[in-house]
Amino acid sequence: MQEAGIESVKVSANTEAIIRAEKIEKYYAQPSANRIQVISATDLSIVPGEIVALLGPSGSGKSTMLRMLTGLSRPSAGQVYWHEQPIAGAEINVSIVFQSFALFPWLTVLENVEAPLQARGVEPGARRDRSMKMLDTVGLDGFEAAYPKELSGGMKQRVGFARALVVEPEVLFMDEPFSALDVLTAENLRSELLELWANKTMPTKAVFLVTHNIEEAVLLADRIIVLGRNPGHIRTDFKVQIAHPRDRKSESFTQLVDYIYKVLTKPDVAPAEAPEQQTGPKVRDQRQMRYQMLPHARPGGMAGLLELLLDKGGRDDIYRLADDLTFEIDDLLPIVDAAQLLGFLKIEEGDAAITESGTEFANSEILRQKELFRGAALQNVLLLRQIRRALEAKSDHTVPEEFFLDMLDEQFSEEECLRQMETAVTWGRYAELFDFDAGRRRFILPDAQEEEIAANEEVQ
Ligand code: ADP
Ligand code: MG
């Protein structure tokens, strides 16, 4: 068990891929002539011996990727191969476990597990034997006759696993399989799955796990692929070589979690190498970025988060925080990221820790908060600084939005430019750095400051 991770890495280095995607893309047609690109040209291989985790924020295209790799959905361009045969015509052997369990409510537990065998034409006796054995393996002995609605979430997902594994898939796919379960149940199921895998109780040769949970990926995976969005693309792809059983509190574990966290929260920065990884990740995201990507968070959201953190003694685990707020981690990340960008908090080992300026911000009245926000924004956010400088420099103290859009569009898509601008306007207005005339699409200096500058100019 100790060497499981290392062994599988060796195997994978010189083995042929089971599934190989070559430059696959996905776009969806829209009523207008435009189409939405969900996945940009991506190469990806699944090789024997590996648990691969595909990690990424929601909407980055993880499920879309899984559907293409399993042949459920055709790529709009590129090709997926199953043992080097185009997947569309190949006889593939994969199973998928879904977050939603996707059981047939009108069938018993046993019948649910038997269903895929029946679909494959396995005769009733063998079908029953294999299903009973699999139910035993996943700890559902005695529940054969129950119906899904009588089961807890954890038990439903055990049925999901049994149904997936009973066909002895060559690759087991899972799309957020633990996300709908409570923390303890999820943790139990994870370790049981790992045990089945490590003991080779299941003949499955590779596992492909889609998740947005960083720790889950680091706990289970031999290899982690991080997807970025708009459109979906691989940001980093690296091996995890921490020996099993993995200790969430060990240094190598927390370092890796931090590393991935940083990759996820900084979509505009090319990822650094993963820590202490001998083989090193292949960094493919090499776009050079001048402007920071402004996280789309509101100042009020940041204030709320900082106040909450202060309440909790100034520091808390980001996942716990998300849980407490019943936020999806994806919804919390932009707020955390924005507060981090402004220097109001720091990320340390998966914890959000409030800084001195963050503490002052959280403790202040609204006017003082605006002042602190203004200082932090000017210091840390290039775009806001540029807008403000331009307004001060121009004699009429107004500048068209276009001027800044032109600079941004070298770096962001048209749509993202507009979102960046929208966030800049929200932040700038809140901080009273500038105002924005939405009708004329122009930035303007707020009145009072305009007069002040005019007065200064007269004196000079
Ligand atoms: P994830 O699983 O990472 O949350 P998905 O693969 O479900 O992401 O979706 C990726 C993106 O594709 C999302 O922005 C989603 O809105 C879009 N998308 C998914 N299916 C369709 C569809 N049938 N038509 C248009 N857009 C879609
Ligand atoms: Mg999904």
Side-chain angles (χ1 to χ4, degrees):
M1 185 118 172
Q2 276 295 95
E3 287 117 17
I6 292 164
E7 202 178 304
S8 62
V9 167
K10 267 192 225 144
V11 173
S12 68
N14 34 27
T15 323
E16 184 191 280
I18 304 172
I19 296 176
R20 186 169 64 82
E22 205 177 84
K23 301 209 165 25
I24 54 169
E25 295 181 55
K26 188 77 181 178
Y27 24 82
Y28 289 104
Q30 277 190 294
S32 67
N34 299 335
R35 56 190 192 190
I36 305 177
Q37 178 128 23
V38 174
I39 304 281
S40 58
T42 299
D43 294 334
L44 199 165
S45 290
I46 299 176
V47 298
E50 277 187 352
I51 298 182
V52 183
L54 183 69
L55 194 63
S58 80
S60 57
K62 302 182 296 296
S63 296
T64 305
M65 196 76 96
L66 178 144
R67 293 172 61 80
M68 290 195 287
L69 291 173
T70 53
L72 269 181
S73 135
R74 266 174 184 275
S76 314
Q79 181 63 269
V80 179
Y81 298 93
W82 170 263
H83 290 287
E84 298 307 320
Q85 300 294 315
I87 198 165
E91 202 160 298
I92 63 170
N93 183 18
V94 303
S95 298
I96 312 177
V97 176
F98 295 98
Q99 172 183 354
S100 57
F101 319 129
L103 304 179
F104 300 119
W106 60 87
L107 298 182
T108 64
V109 165
L110 179 62
E111 288 162 348
N112 263 286
V113 178
E114 281 185 279
L117 292 175
Q118 188 173 8
R120 290 178 190 213
V122 178
E123 58 92 13
R127 208 155 79 198
R128 169 160 300 241
D129 288 350
R130 280 169 66 179
S131 302
M132 290 298 280
K133 202 162 150 255
M134 193 45 74
L135 282 172
D136 195 23
T137 305
V138 301
L140 281 177
D141 200 9
F143 286 92
E144 306 80 41
Y147 283 89
K149 66 169 190 295
E150 301 167 47
L151 304 179
S152 66
M155 284 160 78
K156 280 186 197 145
Q157 197 55 303
R158 283 174 194 273
V159 181
F161 277 112
R163 188 186 49 186
L165 292 173
V166 77
V167 300
E168 309 196 331
E170 195 167 334
V171 185
L172 173 67
F173 283 87
M174 300 188 274
D175 194 346
E176 313 252 5
F178 309 109
S179 300
L181 308 176
D182 67 81
V183 179
L184 272 180
T185 307
E187 196 64 1
N188 281 337
L189 268 181
R190 282 186 201 108
S191 25
E192 287 175 38
L193 176 76
L194 212 49
E195 219 172 283
L196 290 180
W197 168 255
N199 298 341
K200 309 218 184 318
T201 315
M202 49 189 196
T204 296
K205 295 213 184 81
V207 174
F208 189 92
L209 166 74
V210 162
T211 179
H212 66 263
N213 184 327
I214 303 175
E215 288 199 24
E216 179 173 298
V218 177
L219 197 68
L220 298 179
D222 299 307
R223 175 179 160 207
I224 296 178
I225 301 173
V226 181
L227 273 196
R229 57 182 155 193
N230 293 329
H233 62 283
I234 295 181
R235 301 202 57 224
T236 171
D237 175 346
F238 59 90
K239 305 263 193 219
V240 182
Q241 287 165 316
I242 307 169
H244 287 282
R246 293 181 183 161
D247 173 7
R248 286 175 188 264
K249 295 209 170 65
S250 71
E251 198 174 315
S252 47
F253 194 101
T254 55
Q255 270 180 0
L256 201 51
V257 169
D258 270 5
Y259 163 73
I260 299 168
Y261 182 83
K262 280 191 192 118
V263 173
L264 281 172
T265 50
K266 296 204 183 326
D268 49 341
V269 177
E273 298 240 321
E276 289 183 30
Q277 299 290 310
Q278 288 146 9
T279 45
K282 285 197 195 75
V283 176
R284 305 190 195 178
D285 194 321
Q286 298 288 15
R287 295 172 296 176
Q288 276 305 313
M289 300 293 184
R290 179 158 173 256
Y291 288 97
Q292 304 115 317
M293 167 88 94
L294 298 185
H296 305 291
R298 292 163 195 275
M302 283 181 249
L305 171 72
L306 292 168
E307 283 167 28
L308 192 83
L309 260 185
L310 203 60
D311 243 23
K312 293 179 172 277
R315 187 185 178 103
D316 200 5
D317 179 89
I318 293 163
Y319 284 97
R320 198 155 44 223
L321 216 56
D323 255 5
D324 285 356
L325 295 168
T326 62
F327 267 40
E328 281 295 317
I329 189 80
D330 295 329
D331 299 330
L332 188 64
L333 284 182
I335 305 177
V336 171
D337 196 19
Q340 191 184 7
L341 177 63
L342 293 170
F344 291 150
L345 66 76
K346 280 197 186 125
I347 301 298
E348 295 166 354
E349 297 172 5
D351 281 1
I354 198 165
T355 60
E356 215 169 293
S357 64
T359 306
E360 189 183 355
F361 181 83
N363 279 328
S364 297
E365 293 303 315
I366 181 83
L367 283 180
R368 176 71 185 138
Q369 278 190 337
K370 282 177 183 258
E371 217 172 277
L372 291 167
F373 193 97
R374 181 155 63 233
L378 282 177
Q379 194 182 339
N380 297 299
V381 183
L382 175 64
L383 178 61
L384 293 179
R385 195 159 61 230
Q386 286 181 335
I387 296 175
R388 175 70 193 202
R389 292 266 164 82
L391 291 174
E392 284 173 0
K394 270 205 62 210
S395 57
D396 64 355
H397 304 308
T398 146
V399 180
E401 177 190 33
E402 284 270 304
F403 179 67
F404 300 104
L405 281 175
D406 274 353
M407 301 203 277
L408 286 178
D409 77 1
E410 314 232 313
Q411 195 174 312
F412 302 110
S413 69
E414 198 177 324
E415 197 183 331
E416 188 54 48
C417 283
L418 295 174
R419 292 182 66 200
Q420 286 295 309
M421 208 46 98
E422 200 178 310
T423 301
V425 167
T426 309
W427 290 17
R429 272 184 173 155
Y430 170 83
E432 294 171 13
L433 276 170
F434 48 74
D435 212 338
F436 184 69
D437 181 338
R440 291 163 60 221
R441 309 301 301 173
R442 291 183 82 91
F443 289 99
I444 36 184
L445 265 193
D447 290 346
Q449 295 166 5
E450 204 173 318
E451 279 158 23
E452 195 179 305
I453 287 174
N456 283 339
E457 278 164 358
E458 268 163 36
V459 172
Q460 281 162 8

